[in-house]
Amino acid sequence: MKIDLHMHSNCSDGELTPEALVARAKEAGLDAIALTDHDTIAGLARARCAAEHEGMTLINGIEFSTRWGKIGVHVVGLGLNADSAELQQAIAAQQQARIDRNLTIAGKLEKLGARNIYQRATELAGGSQIGRPHFAQLLVEDGLVKTVASAFKKYLGAGKVGDIKQQWPPLDEIVATILAAGGVAVLAHPAKYRLTRTKLRALTAGFAEAGGGAIEVISGYQPSGLAKDLAAMANEFGLASSCGSDFHRPGGIWQELGRFEPMPPNARPVWSLWPELAGTVEANK
């Protein structure tokens, strides 16, 4: 059984609808998946219907934005109760924070010549979350830049006028929310934070102390040996190991659905925590 526990639909910053995402996962030979959109579970019901039609297992998921000290960190929640009051409250707070940030970005871009960009970005998103890619596309339409890439380079990238920092809730608060919703908290793509070994160990220790359940030891294509190293760290702190592509859109060869290495032999897979999957799942084999 092949499994991918980290992917995004157009309900957040992915390109495919939940239905198209499930169809692509089926084509990739996946049997069990988790839809983990950023700070929303809006696509779960649609993905579940599509997965049932395809004879696949869908695990409820979400990817929360958090902070550990001054560092932005993402935490995936797996196996949650989508009706949890604590989960719904946390999502509402995250969504309001995103709205406030996007209004600030829009205001700054309009001073540079963009036209009514927040409303247009809302229409462009079509009911999904607004993100910087939507603003970038509209900057191209308004003739302020020639390409989306140049929009990020000139206006939306790190240190630019549209780079508005967000104060997400602390790590332990989000972990508590996931636990209250009956889920497993997973530290997402830890190698991507570019921390020193000492700081990564401190982050892992703090995550475990807060009630975290697993580390994402595989996140798409990554250097040889990294998964084994992260699994060893997970074991050291009593954490399970998770895996996923972090898929956002077709054509991303480093983040294609199901296209990643097998779980290392020293790992304790996160699905061992779910009786209905334990003993039946072998990641990417």
Side-chain angles (χ1 to χ4, degrees), residues 1 6 30 96 98 130 181 203 227-229 235 240 249 279:
M1 194 175 191
H6 190 155
L30 289 166
Q96 188 59 54
R98 286 182 177 276
I130 299 174
L203 168 59
K228 183 178 179 180
D229 183 44
N235 293 339
R249 58 190 53 82

Side-chain angles (χ1 to χ4, degrees), residues 57-99:
T57 297
L58 179 78
I59 297 164
N60 285 350
I62 190 170
E63 184 173 10
F64 276 116
S65 301
T66 77
R67 57 182 169 85
W68 177 65
K70 296 182 179 180
I71 300 171
V73 172
H74 287 180
V75 176
V76 166
L78 295 175
L80 313 113
N81 172 11
D83 296 324
S84 161
E86 293 87 351
L87 178 64
Q88 295 294 340
Q89 291 167 6
I91 290 173
Q94 298 284 86
Q95 294 298 331
Q96 188 59 54
R98 286 182 177 276
I99 290 171

Side-chain angles (χ1 to χ4, degrees), residues 109-182:
L109 296 179
E110 286 180 1
K111 289 181 180 179
L112 298 173
R115 300 178 291 103
N116 197 22
I117 197 167
Y118 184 81
Q119 180 178 340
R120 291 163 61 212
T122 300
E123 294 169 355
L124 183 61
S128 299
Q129 291 178 359
I130 299 174
R132 286 183 299 167
H134 297 109
F135 290 130
Q137 185 174 334
L138 293 173
L139 290 175
V140 174
E141 288 185 12
D142 287 348
L144 293 175
V145 291
K146 292 184 177 181
T147 66
V148 167
S150 59
F152 274 90
K153 185 175 182 180
K154 190 172 183 180
Y155 297 118
L156 296 167
K160 304 303 179 181
V161 66
D163 178 28
I164 305 302
K165 302 303 181 185
Q166 191 123 33
Q167 283 301 306
W168 297 114
L171 182 70
D172 57 352
E173 181 178 315
I174 289 300
V175 171
T177 294
I178 293 171
L179 295 179

Side-chain angles (χ1 to χ4, degrees), residues 184 212-215 217 227 230-232 234-243 263-274:
V184 176
I215 291 178
V217 303
L230 289 175
N235 293 339
E236 180 183 351
F237 290 98
L239 300 171
S241 296
S242 188
C243 61
M263 190 71 83
N266 63 327
R268 178 169 65 93
V270 67
W271 49 85
S272 66
L273 305 178
W274 296 308

